[in-house]
Amino acid sequence: MKQLVILSGKGGTGKTSVTAAFAHLAAQGPFAGRVLLADADVDAANLELVLQPRRLDTQPFRGGQVAVIDEDRCLICGDCESACRFDAIVETDGRWVIDPIACDGCAACVYQCPTESIRMQEQRVGECRLSDSRYGPLHHAHLHPGQENSGKLVTQVRQRARQQALDEERRLVIVDGPPGIGCPVIAAVSGADLALLVTEPTVSGIHDLRRALGTVQHFGVPALVCINKADVYPKGARDIETFCEANGIAMVGSIPFDPSIASALVAGEAVTAYRPEAPASLALSALWERLVSVLVEPPTRQDDGFAEPITDNLNQPGTFQ
Amino acid sequence: MRIVVASGKGGTGKTTVSTSLAQVATERDAVRFLDCDVEAPNAALFLHPVLDSQREVGIRVPRVDADACTYCGRCAEVCQFHAIAVVGQKTLVFDDLCHGCGSCAWMCPEQAISETLSVTGVIDSGTTPEGIAFAQGVMNVGQTMGVPILRELKKWTPARLPEAPGAPRRALEILDAPPGASCPVVETLRGADLVLLVTEPTPFGLHDLKQVVAIARELGIPAGVVINRDGIGDDAVGAWCAESGLPILLRIPMERRIAEAIAGGRTLVDAAPEYRPGFRDLLERLVAGVNP
C-alpha cells in the first residue's frame, strides 16, 4: 500500500483540485477500485465539496483540555494568572476567568492554585468522518472553528485511512494536505511514500515551495514538483524549473491556467471528469501517468525525488535564485 | 487600531490585500505591518522592507540538573504533553513536545530544573521604502509550533514609529494572518479591532470563509469581506454575505494582467494604480467601523 500526499507550502495553489482529479483518474489503471482518499486539511476540509460523498460515519474528536475555575472556591489570589504563559487568565468583573480560546491546556494554573479550584476539562474540538465517494472511501474531518490540535486530528484521519486501506488491501491512499509547513503538514507527510508539491509560478509560490520541500525532506519523504497556472508568469515557471534541476528534484508536470478548474468546483466535480478535453485536464492526465509510474516503481536513492536536502537558508525571503 | 487580514482558505489574496492596504494607508497614517503567517511569510516579497534587525525566538524548555534530580517523577506527572519522562536513573526531555509552560520547573521539589530558550524561529524587522514599520515571524523548517513565534511577533514595537512632519497621524496596525481556522489564526485575531476577510467566489472560498467568520464572531470582532478574483466561480459568497449581514467592502475582478504583476512581486496598487481609490475607501470604511 502506497501513500501519496499532495502539499504546497503556499495555500491556494490547487492542491484539492489536483487531488480530486487524481481520485477520478485513479479509477482507471493499476489502482482501479483499490484507492482510498484522505483529506488532511482539517482547517479547510474542501475535498468533500468536490466529491460530494455520502456520509457513513461520524466520530467525535476530543482534543486537548482547557482549565476551568470553580468560582465558589476561588480566593481571587491571582496565582494562576502569574503562572499562565499564554495570557489565558483574564480579570473580568473582579474575578479571574479562563479564556478557553487562549488556554493551551498546560495545567500550570491547576498546580499553582493554592485552593485547588482549577480543573482541566476535555474539549470536543471536531469530528472524524468517513464517507463513501464515487471514487472510493473518503476519510475526512471537521475542526470546530478556532480549535487547537489540528495536527492530532490530521494524524487520526491518516491512521483511520491507513487502517481501512490495510484491512481492505487497498493499494493507494491519496492524501490532500494542508498549506504551510507546521504541525498539520508534518502530521500529513510523516510516513508517506511520496509527496507531490503543487506550486504556482509566483514569488510567494516559489518562496513557500522551498520551505515545504525542506520540511518534506526533513521527514525523509521523496518529493516531486508540479506547477499549476504555469503560463500566468512564465519567468516564475522557468525559475522553479531551474531551482528543481539545481536541487535534483523532478518536475513532473505543468498545468496551464484554465477557467475550467473553477467551473468544475462550482459544478462539484473533478475537472478531469467535468471537461476531460480541457487544457488543465489533459495536463493532469499526463501528470497522473507519471505519478503512477513512480508509485508502481519507486525511485531509488540515486534517482529523482531522493535529492540531497536543501541546505541553504530557507528562512530568507526573496533570495530565490 | 489593529486590522487583521484573514481568509480561511489559502491563496485567496490575503497578502495582496494587506500589502496594498498598507501602502495606501501610509500616505496618511503611521503604519505598522506584521506578517503573521510564520509558516509561509510572503509580505516581504511585495513590500521590500530593509530587514536590519533579527531576533531569535522560541520556547523555554526544561534542563534537568542530574546531580540534584532524585528521579521522583513529579515533572513527568505535571507535564500535559509527555515532554519529560523519568526512565530509571535518567530524566529525559523532548524539546519537540514541550509547550514551554514552565510547570515542571515550578513543581520540581528539588528545584533541579532550569529553563533554556529552544529557538524555533526568528523575528525580522525593519522599514519599507515608503516608511512602513515592518516585522515578520519566520518559523524554522521542521518545527511544529508557530504560535509562540506569533505571540512574540505581536509584542514587537518599532524602535521609532515613522513620523511625518505636520499633523499627528493615526497609528494603524495591519496584520497578515495565516490561512486555516485553527490556533494560529485565533492568536493572530486576538486583540484585533477589525478583521478583513479575503475570499474567492468558489465553494471552497465560501466554506472556509464561514469557518473564519465563526471565529471572528466568537471573539466579537467586526468583519468585512473582500471578494478577490471576482467573476470566477459563482456568487454564492455574495449571497451568503448578504444573508449574514457581512458587508462586502471591495471586489477585485480576475484580471490576467494583475495576476501576472503580482506573480512577479508587485503589489496590486503598484501594478494597477486605479485600485488606489478603492483601497482608500476600504480603509476609511474600516476605520469608521464596518458594523455601525
Side-chain angles (χ1 to χ4, degrees):
Chain A
M1 191 260 293
K2 303 281 186 190
Q3 296 190 64
L4 166 68
V5 58
I6 318 298
L7 293 172
S8 68
K10 175 166 163 37
T13 59
K15 284 181 297 299
T16 303
S17 291
V18 167
T19 305
F22 288 170
H24 164 244
L25 295 167
Q28 307 287 321
F31 300 110
R34 312 285 288 280
V35 177
L36 195 141
L37 307 166
D39 189 346
D41 187 1
V42 299
D43 284 27
N46 290 338
L47 192 54
E48 142 176 72
L49 302 176
V50 197
L51 299 179
Q52 304 188 339
R54 189 167 53 91
R55 187 76 47 83
L56 298 176
D57 181 45
T58 300
Q59 299 285 336
F61 173 74
R62 291 188 174 82
Q65 302 187 315
V66 294
V68 182
I69 299 177
D70 179 347
E71 278 197 22
D72 295 337
R73 298 174 66 170
C74 175
L75 299 178
I76 324 185
C77 69
D79 283 4
C80 52
E81 195 272 341
S82 17
C84 181
R85 291 186 179 172
F86 304 96
D87 305 326
I89 302 182
V90 285
E91 199 179 354
T92 312
D93 302 331
R95 303 205 70 92
W96 294 107
V97 176
I98 292 176
D99 174 356
I101 289 178
C103 178
D104 189 66
C106 71
C109 56
V110 172
Y111 295 106
Q112 296 306 315
C113 176
T115 58
E116 297 182 5
S117 307
I118 309 179
R119 63 189 169 82
M120 300 304 289
Q121 193 172 57
E122 204 167 56
Q123 293 282 291
R124 189 181 152 166
V125 300
E127 52 191 45
C128 278
R129 297 169 171 175
L130 170 63
S131 299
D132 186 24
S133 85
R134 60 195 110 152
Y135 306 127
L138 168 66
H139 285 271
H140 50 142
H142 173 77
L143 185 74
H144 297 324
Q147 288 295 343
E148 272 192 65
N149 287 305
S150 63
K152 277 190 195 162
L153 185 52
V154 170
T155 301
Q156 187 146 3
V157 167
R158 281 197 61 210
Q159 278 171 351
R160 286 162 53 103
R162 184 171 177 277
Q163 194 55 52
Q164 189 182 3
L166 290 173
D167 291 347
E168 298 178 358
E169 296 184 349
R170 290 183 181 267
R171 295 191 55 207
L172 179 64
V173 179
I174 305 177
V175 182
D176 187 10
I181 63 164
C183 176
V185 171
I186 290 167
V189 77
S190 62
D193 298 279
L194 185 66
L196 175 70
L197 286 103
V198 182
T199 187
E200 59 178 37
T202 63
V203 288
S204 309
I206 297 164
H207 174 257
D208 299 345
L209 170 68
R210 289 156 49 86
R211 289 170 57 80
L213 275 170
T215 306
V216 168
Q217 291 175 339
H218 185 90
F219 291 90
V221 176
L224 305 170
V225 169
C226 76
I227 308 178
N228 192 13
K229 306 173 205 164
D231 53 339
V232 167
Y233 185 56
K235 181 187 172 296
R238 283 195 301 276
D239 284 350
I240 294 170
E241 282 166 20
T242 311
F243 166 75
C244 287
E245 205 171 306
N247 288 281
I249 295 153
M251 268 273 312
V252 286
S254 279
I255 305 159
F257 174 78
D258 186 342
S260 303
I261 290 188
S263 314
L265 283 189
V266 172
E269 282 204 66
V271 66
T272 46
Y274 177 71
R275 271 185 207 151
E277 298 305 318
S281 299
L282 296 175
L284 281 160
S285 300
L287 169 60
W288 177 245
E289 289 300 313
R290 287 182 165 185
L291 282 179
V292 168
S293 62
V294 174
L295 286 164
V296 170
E297 197 174 339
T300 60
R301 277 266 152 209
Q302 284 75 37
D303 285 345
D304 293 333
F306 280 94
E308 290 298 308
I310 301 167
T311 49
D312 59 342
N313 190 347
L314 296 162
N315 287 351
Q316 284 306 311
T319 53
F320 177 76
Q321 300 300 313
Chain B
M1 168 170 277
R2 181 180 286 177
I3 302 167
V4 173
V5 182
S7 72
K9 175 166 162 42
T12 57
K14 282 180 297 300
T15 305
T16 297
V17 169
S18 63
T19 53
S20 279
L21 191 64
Q23 283 185 331
V24 168
T26 200
E27 293 165 356
R28 296 185 199 167
D29 305 310
V31 180
R32 190 167 86 114
F33 188 101
L34 302 182
D35 189 343
C36 296
D37 189 358
V38 303
E39 296 182 34
N42 292 329
L45 301 171
F46 298 90
L47 291 177
H48 307 289
V50 177
L51 297 171
D52 49 14
S53 169
Q54 185 173 78
R55 188 163 71 89
E56 288 188 325
V57 291
I59 55 172
R60 283 184 275 172
V61 298
R63 289 291 174 263
V64 183
D65 177 352
D67 296 332
C69 180
T70 60
Y71 316 105
C72 71
R74 182 65 176 150
C75 53
E77 203 178 284
V78 300
C79 178
Q80 304 290 300
F81 310 107
H82 312 292
I84 190 161
V86 179
V87 183
Q89 298 286 291
K90 217 170 159 73
T91 302
L92 305 170
V93 175
F94 305 100
D95 288 357
D96 289 346
L97 298 177
C98 179
H99 286 215
C101 72
S103 244
C104 55
W106 290 325
M107 298 308 292
C108 175
E110 309 301 329
Q111 300 186 342
I113 300 179
S114 58
E115 292 180 275
T116 180
L117 184 77
S118 165
V119 174
T120 57
V122 294
I123 289 170
D124 297 313
S125 55
T127 312
T128 74
E130 58 276 85
I132 299 167
F134 181 99
Q136 63 177 6
V138 185
M139 186 170 88
N140 289 345
V141 167
Q143 288 293 332
T144 56
M145 282 180 275
V147 173
I149 300 169
L150 200 41
R151 250 187 233 118
E152 287 300 315
L153 175 65
K154 284 172 71 182
K155 289 179 197 156
W156 175 76
T157 32
R160 198 166 50 86
L161 263 168
E163 268 302 327
R169 301 190 291 171
R170 296 179 296 193
L172 291 183
E173 275 183 5
I174 297 173
L175 275 62
D176 192 8
S182 58
C183 23
V185 177
V186 174
E187 183 56 40
T188 307
L189 282 169
R190 281 186 90 203
D193 297 298
L194 295 163
V195 56
L196 188 58
L197 300 165
V198 185
T199 188
E200 61 176 38
T202 65
F204 290 3
L206 175 58
H207 174 271
D208 303 347
L209 172 68
K210 289 178 181 171
Q211 293 274 103
V212 195
V213 168
I215 299 175
R217 294 213 161 127
E218 192 169 334
L219 295 172
I221 304 169
V225 173
V226 173
I227 298 183
N228 191 17
R229 299 193 194 101
D230 199 22
I232 70 165
D234 55 12
D235 199 35
V237 169
W240 184 77
C241 288
E243 260 170 50
S244 315
L246 278 171
I248 295 171
L249 301 173
L250 186 66
R251 287 178 185 261
I252 305 168
M254 174 68 204
E255 268 188 73
R256 205 183 160 101
R257 157 186 82 93
I258 294 176
E260 279 172 29
I262 291 171
R266 294 177 70 187
T267 62
L268 173 59
V269 293
D270 175 37
E274 67 272 23
Y275 280 94
R276 279 187 176 266
F279 272 89
R280 168 57 58 195
D281 181 53
L282 170 66
L283 179 67
E284 295 309 326
R285 285 181 69 186
L286 285 175
V287 172
V290 285
N291 287 355

